[in-house]
Amino acid sequence: MVAFGKKLRESQIQEWQGYYLDYKLMKKKLNRYTQQIEVGTQNRHLVLKDFSILLDSEIEKIVMFLLQQQGVLASKLLNLGEQYDSVLQQVDGAKIPELQEAYRSVGRDLLRILSFVEMNAIGLRKILKKFDKRFGYRFTDYYVKTRANHPYSQLRQVCKQVGVGAVVGAISRNLADLQDFQQHCGNYISIYDQPAFSHPDPVLDSIRAAVNRLSNSTSFLHYLGKHALLMGDDLQSPSEDHADDGRYHFMSLLLNLANTFLYMVNTYIIVPTADNYSMTLGAAATVCGVVIGSMAVAQVFSSVYFSAWSNRSYMRPLVFSSIILLVGNTLYALAYDLNSISVLLIGRLFCGLGSARAVNRRYISDCVPLKLRMQASAGFVSAGALGMACGPALACLLQTNFKIYKLTFNEDTLPGWIMALAWLIYLLWLSISFKEPSRVTTENIVPRESNSGKIVNISVENGPTQPLLSNSKAKQKDRDGDTDCDDAEEDPTEIQKPVNSIVSAYRLLTPSVKVQLYIYFMLKYAMEIVLAESSVITGYYFIWSTSSVAIFLACLGLTVLPVNVVVGSYISNMFEERWTFKQVLLASEILVCIGILLSFHVLIPYSVPQYVSSALITFVSAEVLEGVNLSLLSRVMSSRLSRGTFNGGLLSTEAGTLARVIADGTITLAGFWGESKLLNTTLVPALVICVSSIVATCFTYNSLY
């Protein structure tokens, strides 16, 4: 990957050079502003005004040229439409191939326009981000909000691709109709009436891929993809996406989603009965925190080795995970008849060691084509949410007690037996249906000619490889205006290298990334406190049965997907994600804090409405916060953290898992003071962490994205 300024020059269509965003000029302007402010010859208000005028001028230049080119395409399509009518009237099949090729030629012209829009949109986003980072302003929020919402918005033409859809539709319909006319001997079948009769065309496939890359990234599916930390902000090249097509296998994807679902069921199916199981084996009810948390403890370590293992294989770690989970759940169930709390804890540790969520994330980000990755990412989040709800709901159905030989099957042991059987079935399905994707190596390098006529080496896996300046020199020259290397981003010589050590990963964490990870830690801590101690709290204050606790937890779990739908839809209706996300982020943190405050038992008798409402506020606010937090995190995190063992997905998983471990440990430690003090004792650290995260967010608000 090269610096954007260089990439822009190499990707430019030569005859359109004068109509692209003048990225180099704007960077020189930023450097000049910096120097003038440092010596006191320029004030910040004039800088904002001058840069706004420059941006307006550049965007107007781009939009006027774009409209001109769209007009040219429209004229061509009108002429082709007349020829098309003539062919239909004369039923002249010999002219159809010639007409099809003419439409494809217009399609290729459209691809040039789409590439033009894409490069300018990326350049605009990058220069705004650079301005914010250089001067510490929220200029992007102001500029996009004022320009995009204006009735005569020119910015909307660039970012919403106004008018492109009509051209795409005309080309698609006419090509499909011509092919259908040719194959059905004049029996016209419109693609609008019979979509199944439409036929693929390479040019149309390329157009659809380009439009998908350009489409606004605030749709619900993309929101969920960001939630899963699987969708990057930058886009793949068509060649990389074709490589993904060769590695993609639907059944393998389905198996990864099934693994995610089963693991979440496995995590939460024991929550309603963990306290009762602990007491049955002679331990205190609050030991349920250790029982629940032991799985998370093991997951801290398993996430790392599974992430490293996925660099070499996907099937083998999934097989290993299934076997370990089969053994772990069997031990969990046998602990009852063995009357051993140690066996119970070992079983849960084994379950944590079988956590393959890092593999599931990695498979989607590496092997699913870009055009399907939003749906796959949404499926990943949805599978986890569904598993979270199904776990407690399933526990509610297991209220029975019988023996087969010397094995006891009751509400405590059945979760272990059911999950052991589920993992056995999954293991058989995995061995039959999973297809290991092919591995590409960095040695597979082929020469390719860039748009500028320059030969670059393209690695099948890693993209362009070129000698570049060192980081310090690049930054210095950028300030002098000699190069286009982005000083707000990583050194391009290092950007290709995967991060395979925790030290390297930590060095790439900026203050805003650290705050986002801390927020993620906070929300997972709050959610775990609500979930893990629910059976003890409701049993002590309200004398709830296991079924009542299970139904309550299932209802909480069922809120996950609807909340994401509502938040995703709300954000998708906003033009600029940045402004919305940051406001929703801070508001969600405050609501989590309010939920925690309402949960305290102070003076008045503790009631069911108080507990349920406060838990709902805390849990739902944390869900909203999780989606927004991870979406922002995917934007501010270094692009190097999208690959390698210590990738962004692993770091967020580790932060969340560590929060769960500490929360479960807090519950167990608080149990030493008695169940009467458990609630307030566990809520105090949750409140402190929440308040500190709000303070940290306020301090880094302008640099969050």
Side-chain angles (χ1 to χ4, degrees), residues 313-344:
S313 173
Y314 298 101
M315 182 172 181
R316 286 195 290 272
L318 289 177
V319 169
F320 178 77
S321 164
S322 304
I323 294 172
I324 292 295
L325 283 158
L326 173 61
V327 173
N329 282 289
T330 302
L331 289 173
Y332 181 86
L334 289 174
Y336 187 92
D337 293 305
L338 296 174
N339 195 30
S340 172
I341 190 71
S342 299
V343 173
L344 181 73

mmCIF file of all heavy atoms in Angstrom, residues 313-344:
data_model
loop_
_atom_site.group_PDB
_atom_site.id
_atom_site.type_symbol
_atom_site.label_atom_id
_atom_site.label_comp_id
_atom_site.label_asym_id
_atom_site.label_seq_id
_atom_site.Cartn_x
_atom_site.Cartn_y
_atom_site.Cartn_z
ATOM 1 N N SER A 313 -4.416 -21.995 9.063
ATOM 2 C CA SER A 313 -5.536 -22.876 8.753
ATOM 3 C C SER A 313 -6.802 -22.360 9.411
ATOM 4 O O SER A 313 -6.744 -21.615 10.397
ATOM 5 C CB SER A 313 -5.242 -24.299 9.249
ATOM 6 O OG SER A 313 -6.369 -25.140 9.104
ATOM 7 N N TYR A 314 -7.930 -22.737 8.850
ATOM 8 C CA TYR A 314 -9.218 -22.413 9.455
ATOM 9 C C TYR A 314 -9.919 -23.664 9.980
ATOM 10 O O TYR A 314 -10.548 -23.628 11.033
ATOM 11 C CB TYR A 314 -10.136 -21.711 8.441
ATOM 12 C CG TYR A 314 -9.592 -20.395 7.956
ATOM 13 C CD1 TYR A 314 -8.961 -20.286 6.723
ATOM 14 C CD2 TYR A 314 -9.693 -19.246 8.737
ATOM 15 C CE1 TYR A 314 -8.450 -19.081 6.268
ATOM 16 C CE2 TYR A 314 -9.179 -18.031 8.306
ATOM 17 C CZ TYR A 314 -8.559 -17.967 7.069
ATOM 18 O OH TYR A 314 -8.042 -16.768 6.636
ATOM 19 N N MET A 315 -9.801 -24.757 9.267
ATOM 20 C CA MET A 315 -10.531 -25.960 9.665
ATOM 21 C C MET A 315 -9.937 -26.604 10.919
ATOM 22 O O MET A 315 -10.671 -26.989 11.842
ATOM 23 C CB MET A 315 -10.547 -26.974 8.520
ATOM 24 C CG MET A 315 -11.339 -28.233 8.874
ATOM 25 S SD MET A 315 -11.553 -29.321 7.472
ATOM 26 C CE MET A 315 -12.526 -30.641 8.231
ATOM 27 N N ARG A 316 -8.614 -26.714 10.974
ATOM 28 C CA ARG A 316 -7.999 -27.402 12.113
ATOM 29 C C ARG A 316 -8.312 -26.729 13.442
ATOM 30 O O ARG A 316 -8.646 -27.415 14.414
ATOM 31 C CB ARG A 316 -6.485 -27.529 11.887
ATOM 32 C CG ARG A 316 -6.121 -28.582 10.837
ATOM 33 C CD ARG A 316 -4.647 -28.938 10.889
ATOM 34 N NE ARG A 316 -3.808 -27.850 10.425
ATOM 35 C CZ ARG A 316 -3.467 -27.653 9.151
ATOM 36 N NH1 ARG A 316 -3.921 -28.472 8.215
ATOM 37 N NH2 ARG A 316 -2.687 -26.648 8.806
ATOM 38 N N PRO A 317 -8.234 -25.391 13.547
ATOM 39 C CA PRO A 317 -8.617 -24.783 14.823
ATOM 40 C C PRO A 317 -10.095 -24.969 15.154
ATOM 41 O O PRO A 317 -10.451 -25.095 16.330
ATOM 42 C CB PRO A 317 -8.271 -23.294 14.639
ATOM 43 C CG PRO A 317 -8.038 -23.099 13.194
ATOM 44 C CD PRO A 317 -7.598 -24.402 12.645
ATOM 45 N N LEU A 318 -10.957 -25.018 14.140
ATOM 46 C CA LEU A 318 -12.379 -25.254 14.401
ATOM 47 C C LEU A 318 -12.623 -26.676 14.902
ATOM 48 O O LEU A 318 -13.445 -26.902 15.794
ATOM 49 C CB LEU A 318 -13.203 -24.990 13.140
ATOM 50 C CG LEU A 318 -13.344 -23.522 12.712
ATOM 51 C CD1 LEU A 318 -14.117 -23.419 11.400
ATOM 52 C CD2 LEU A 318 -14.035 -22.698 13.795
ATOM 53 N N VAL A 319 -11.898 -27.633 14.343
ATOM 54 C CA VAL A 319 -12.007 -29.023 14.805
ATOM 55 C C VAL A 319 -11.522 -29.124 16.246
ATOM 56 O O VAL A 319 -12.178 -29.733 17.111
ATOM 57 C CB VAL A 319 -11.195 -29.970 13.890
ATOM 58 C CG1 VAL A 319 -11.094 -31.365 14.514
ATOM 59 C CG2 VAL A 319 -11.834 -30.063 12.509
ATOM 60 N N PHE A 320 -10.356 -28.522 16.508
ATOM 61 C CA PHE A 320 -9.798 -28.535 17.863
ATOM 62 C C PHE A 320 -10.764 -27.880 18.852
ATOM 63 O O PHE A 320 -11.001 -28.391 19.955
ATOM 64 C CB PHE A 320 -8.454 -27.807 17.863
ATOM 65 C CG PHE A 320 -7.813 -27.706 19.214
ATOM 66 C CD1 PHE A 320 -7.165 -28.798 19.776
ATOM 67 C CD2 PHE A 320 -7.855 -26.520 19.933
ATOM 68 C CE1 PHE A 320 -6.569 -28.711 21.032
ATOM 69 C CE2 PHE A 320 -7.263 -26.414 21.181
ATOM 70 C CZ PHE A 320 -6.624 -27.516 21.735
ATOM 71 N N SER A 321 -11.337 -26.746 18.448
ATOM 72 C CA SER A 321 -12.287 -26.035 19.298
ATOM 73 C C SER A 321 -13.480 -26.918 19.644
ATOM 74 O O SER A 321 -13.904 -26.986 20.802
ATOM 75 C CB SER A 321 -12.764 -24.767 18.568
ATOM 76 O OG SER A 321 -13.923 -24.241 19.165
ATOM 77 N N SER A 322 -14.019 -27.607 18.655
ATOM 78 C CA SER A 322 -15.196 -28.458 18.881
ATOM 79 C C SER A 322 -14.884 -29.593 19.847
ATOM 80 O O SER A 322 -15.700 -29.917 20.726
ATOM 81 C CB SER A 322 -15.686 -29.024 17.546
ATOM 82 O OG SER A 322 -15.961 -27.998 16.623
ATOM 83 N N ILE A 323 -13.708 -30.197 19.697
ATOM 84 C CA ILE A 323 -13.323 -31.305 20.577
ATOM 85 C C ILE A 323 -13.160 -30.816 22.020
ATOM 86 O O ILE A 323 -13.642 -31.439 22.976
ATOM 87 C CB ILE A 323 -12.025 -31.968 20.074
ATOM 88 C CG1 ILE A 323 -12.274 -32.649 18.724
ATOM 89 C CG2 ILE A 323 -11.501 -32.980 21.090
ATOM 90 C CD1 ILE A 323 -11.020 -33.160 18.054
ATOM 91 N N ILE A 324 -12.471 -29.670 22.175
ATOM 92 C CA ILE A 324 -12.259 -29.113 23.512
ATOM 93 C C ILE A 324 -13.585 -28.749 24.174
ATOM 94 O O ILE A 324 -13.807 -29.006 25.369
ATOM 95 C CB ILE A 324 -11.343 -27.866 23.428
ATOM 96 C CG1 ILE A 324 -9.921 -28.279 23.030
ATOM 97 C CG2 ILE A 324 -11.308 -27.127 24.754
ATOM 98 C CD1 ILE A 324 -9.216 -29.134 24.051
ATOM 99 N N LEU A 325 -14.493 -28.168 23.407
ATOM 100 C CA LEU A 325 -15.801 -27.803 23.958
ATOM 101 C C LEU A 325 -16.631 -29.040 24.288
ATOM 102 O O LEU A 325 -17.388 -29.045 25.274
ATOM 103 C CB LEU A 325 -16.547 -26.913 22.965
ATOM 104 C CG LEU A 325 -16.053 -25.446 22.941
ATOM 105 C CD1 LEU A 325 -16.421 -24.767 21.635
ATOM 106 C CD2 LEU A 325 -16.631 -24.678 24.119
ATOM 107 N N LEU A 326 -16.496 -30.084 23.508
ATOM 108 C CA LEU A 326 -17.180 -31.347 23.798
ATOM 109 C C LEU A 326 -16.696 -31.917 25.132
ATOM 110 O O LEU A 326 -17.493 -32.314 25.996
ATOM 111 C CB LEU A 326 -16.929 -32.343 22.658
ATOM 112 C CG LEU A 326 -17.419 -33.777 22.850
ATOM 113 C CD1 LEU A 326 -18.929 -33.814 23.041
ATOM 114 C CD2 LEU A 326 -17.027 -34.640 21.657
ATOM 115 N N VAL A 327 -15.375 -31.915 25.319
ATOM 116 C CA VAL A 327 -14.793 -32.410 26.567
ATOM 117 C C VAL A 327 -15.187 -31.514 27.745
ATOM 118 O O VAL A 327 -15.582 -31.986 28.817
ATOM 119 C CB VAL A 327 -13.253 -32.496 26.444
ATOM 120 C CG1 VAL A 327 -12.623 -32.843 27.790
ATOM 121 C CG2 VAL A 327 -12.856 -33.524 25.395
ATOM 122 N N GLY A 328 -15.101 -30.193 27.543
ATOM 123 C CA GLY A 328 -15.407 -29.250 28.614
ATOM 124 C C GLY A 328 -16.835 -29.362 29.107
ATOM 125 O O GLY A 328 -17.090 -29.368 30.322
ATOM 126 N N ASN A 329 -17.783 -29.462 28.192
ATOM 127 C CA ASN A 329 -19.184 -29.576 28.602
ATOM 128 C C ASN A 329 -19.481 -30.918 29.261
ATOM 129 O O ASN A 329 -20.312 -30.993 30.175
ATOM 130 C CB ASN A 329 -20.092 -29.372 27.386
ATOM 131 C CG ASN A 329 -20.240 -27.904 27.019
ATOM 132 O OD1 ASN A 329 -20.884 -27.142 27.718
ATOM 133 N ND2 ASN A 329 -19.612 -27.509 25.919
ATOM 134 N N THR A 330 -18.793 -31.955 28.809
ATOM 135 C CA THR A 330 -18.960 -33.269 29.447
ATOM 136 C C THR A 330 -18.474 -33.229 30.894
ATOM 137 O O THR A 330 -19.131 -33.741 31.813
ATOM 138 C CB THR A 330 -18.203 -34.347 28.660
ATOM 139 O OG1 THR A 330 -18.683 -34.369 27.307
ATOM 140 C CG2 THR A 330 -18.400 -35.718 29.280
ATOM 141 N N LEU A 331 -17.311 -32.598 31.116
ATOM 142 C CA LEU A 331 -16.790 -32.465 32.481
ATOM 143 C C LEU A 331 -17.725 -31.622 33.340
ATOM 144 O O LEU A 331 -17.943 -31.912 34.520
ATOM 145 C CB LEU A 331 -15.392 -31.833 32.446
ATOM 146 C CG LEU A 331 -14.261 -32.706 31.893
ATOM 147 C CD1 LEU A 331 -12.980 -31.886 31.769
ATOM 148 C CD2 LEU A 331 -14.036 -33.914 32.798
ATOM 149 N N TYR A 332 -18.282 -30.568 32.757
ATOM 150 C CA TYR A 332 -19.213 -29.710 33.491
ATOM 151 C C TYR A 332 -20.420 -30.518 33.972
ATOM 152 O O TYR A 332 -20.874 -30.368 35.114
ATOM 153 C CB TYR A 332 -19.673 -28.566 32.585
ATOM 154 C CG TYR A 332 -20.622 -27.599 33.245
ATOM 155 C CD1 TYR A 332 -20.157 -26.526 33.995
ATOM 156 C CD2 TYR A 332 -22.014 -27.753 33.118
ATOM 157 C CE1 TYR A 332 -21.033 -25.634 34.608
ATOM 158 C CE2 TYR A 332 -22.894 -26.877 33.732
ATOM 159 C CZ TYR A 332 -22.404 -25.813 34.472
ATOM 160 O OH TYR A 332 -23.274 -24.943 35.082
ATOM 161 N N ALA A 333 -20.936 -31.387 33.106
ATOM 162 C CA ALA A 333 -22.092 -32.201 33.474
ATOM 163 C C ALA A 333 -21.731 -33.287 34.483
ATOM 164 O O ALA A 333 -22.497 -33.577 35.413
ATOM 165 C CB ALA A 333 -22.698 -32.823 32.222
ATOM 166 N N LEU A 334 -20.542 -33.888 34.343
ATOM 167 C CA LEU A 334 -20.124 -34.974 35.244
ATOM 168 C C LEU A 334 -19.795 -34.490 36.651
ATOM 169 O O LEU A 334 -19.771 -35.289 37.599
ATOM 170 C CB LEU A 334 -18.905 -35.697 34.657
ATOM 171 C CG LEU A 334 -19.156 -36.576 33.423
ATOM 172 C CD1 LEU A 334 -17.832 -37.097 32.878
ATOM 173 C CD2 LEU A 334 -20.081 -37.746 33.778
ATOM 174 N N ALA A 335 -19.513 -33.198 36.801
ATOM 175 C CA ALA A 335 -19.142 -32.659 38.116
ATOM 176 C C ALA A 335 -20.219 -32.920 39.157
ATOM 177 O O ALA A 335 -19.923 -33.096 40.347
ATOM 178 C CB ALA A 335 -18.864 -31.163 37.993
ATOM 179 N N TYR A 336 -21.478 -32.981 38.747
ATOM 180 C CA TYR A 336 -22.586 -33.206 39.679
ATOM 181 C C TYR A 336 -22.476 -34.586 40.326
ATOM 182 O O TYR A 336 -22.534 -34.717 41.551
ATOM 183 C CB TYR A 336 -23.917 -33.075 38.937
ATOM 184 C CG TYR A 336 -25.133 -33.117 39.834
ATOM 185 C CD1 TYR A 336 -25.679 -31.950 40.345
ATOM 186 C CD2 TYR A 336 -25.733 -34.332 40.170
ATOM 187 C CE1 TYR A 336 -26.804 -31.979 41.172
ATOM 188 C CE2 TYR A 336 -26.849 -34.377 40.994
ATOM 189 C CZ TYR A 336 -27.376 -33.196 41.491
ATOM 190 O OH TYR A 336 -28.481 -33.243 42.311
ATOM 191 N N ASP A 337 -22.289 -35.624 39.500
ATOM 192 C CA ASP A 337 -22.202 -36.984 40.032
ATOM 193 C C ASP A 337 -20.873 -37.232 40.735
ATOM 194 O O ASP A 337 -20.786 -38.072 41.634
ATOM 195 C CB ASP A 337 -22.408 -37.998 38.908
ATOM 196 C CG ASP A 337 -23.832 -37.955 38.355
ATOM 197 O OD1 ASP A 337 -24.781 -38.104 39.147
ATOM 198 O OD2 ASP A 337 -23.989 -37.740 37.144
ATOM 199 N N LEU A 338 -19.846 -36.515 40.324
ATOM 200 C CA LEU A 338 -18.548 -36.642 40.987
ATOM 201 C C LEU A 338 -18.476 -35.771 42.246
ATOM 202 O O LEU A 338 -17.494 -35.857 42.996
ATOM 203 C CB LEU A 338 -17.425 -36.247 40.022
ATOM 204 C CG LEU A 338 -17.258 -37.132 38.776
ATOM 205 C CD1 LEU A 338 -16.207 -36.547 37.839
ATOM 206 C CD2 LEU A 338 -16.874 -38.555 39.178
ATOM 207 N N ASN A 339 -19.493 -34.905 42.427
ATOM 208 C CA ASN A 339 -19.552 -33.995 43.573
ATOM 209 C C ASN A 339 -18.247 -33.205 43.724
ATOM 210 O O ASN A 339 -17.658 -33.111 44.797
ATOM 211 C CB ASN A 339 -19.847 -34.768 44.865
ATOM 212 C CG ASN A 339 -20.267 -33.835 45.996
ATOM 213 O OD1 ASN A 339 -20.859 -32.781 45.750
ATOM 214 N ND2 ASN A 339 -19.937 -34.210 47.225
ATOM 215 N N SER A 340 -17.824 -32.613 42.626
ATOM 216 C CA SER A 340 -16.527 -31.925 42.615
ATOM 217 C C SER A 340 -16.651 -30.556 41.965
ATOM 218 O O SER A 340 -16.918 -30.446 40.758
ATOM 219 C CB SER A 340 -15.488 -32.766 41.869
ATOM 220 O OG SER A 340 -14.291 -32.044 41.692
ATOM 221 N N ILE A 341 -16.448 -29.509 42.748
ATOM 222 C CA ILE A 341 -16.438 -28.156 42.200
ATOM 223 C C ILE A 341 -15.223 -27.951 41.305
ATOM 224 O O ILE A 341 -15.260 -27.158 40.348
ATOM 225 C CB ILE A 341 -16.458 -27.107 43.341
ATOM 226 C CG1 ILE A 341 -16.698 -25.695 42.787
ATOM 227 C CG2 ILE A 341 -15.165 -27.149 44.136
ATOM 228 C CD1 ILE A 341 -18.085 -25.454 42.290
ATOM 229 N N SER A 342 -14.142 -28.697 41.580
ATOM 230 C CA SER A 342 -12.926 -28.585 40.762
ATOM 231 C C SER A 342 -13.190 -29.067 39.341
ATOM 232 O O SER A 342 -12.763 -28.430 38.364
ATOM 233 C CB SER A 342 -11.789 -29.400 41.382
ATOM 234 O OG SER A 342 -11.474 -28.930 42.670
ATOM 235 N N VAL A 343 -13.884 -30.194 39.205
ATOM 236 C CA VAL A 343 -14.215 -30.719 37.869
ATOM 237 C C VAL A 343 -15.109 -29.730 37.135
ATOM 238 O O VAL A 343 -14.971 -29.511 35.924
ATOM 239 C CB VAL A 343 -14.890 -32.100 37.973
ATOM 240 C CG1 VAL A 343 -15.381 -32.574 36.604
ATOM 241 C CG2 VAL A 343 -13.945 -33.121 38.579
ATOM 242 N N LEU A 344 -16.030 -29.114 37.869
ATOM 243 C CA LEU A 344 -16.916 -28.115 37.277
ATOM 244 C C LEU A 344 -16.112 -26.956 36.683
ATOM 245 O O LEU A 344 -16.331 -26.546 35.535
ATOM 246 C CB LEU A 344 -17.871 -27.591 38.347
ATOM 247 C CG LEU A 344 -18.906 -26.543 37.904
ATOM 248 C CD1 LEU A 344 -19.990 -27.196 37.080
ATOM 249 C CD2 LEU A 344 -19.511 -25.844 39.110
#
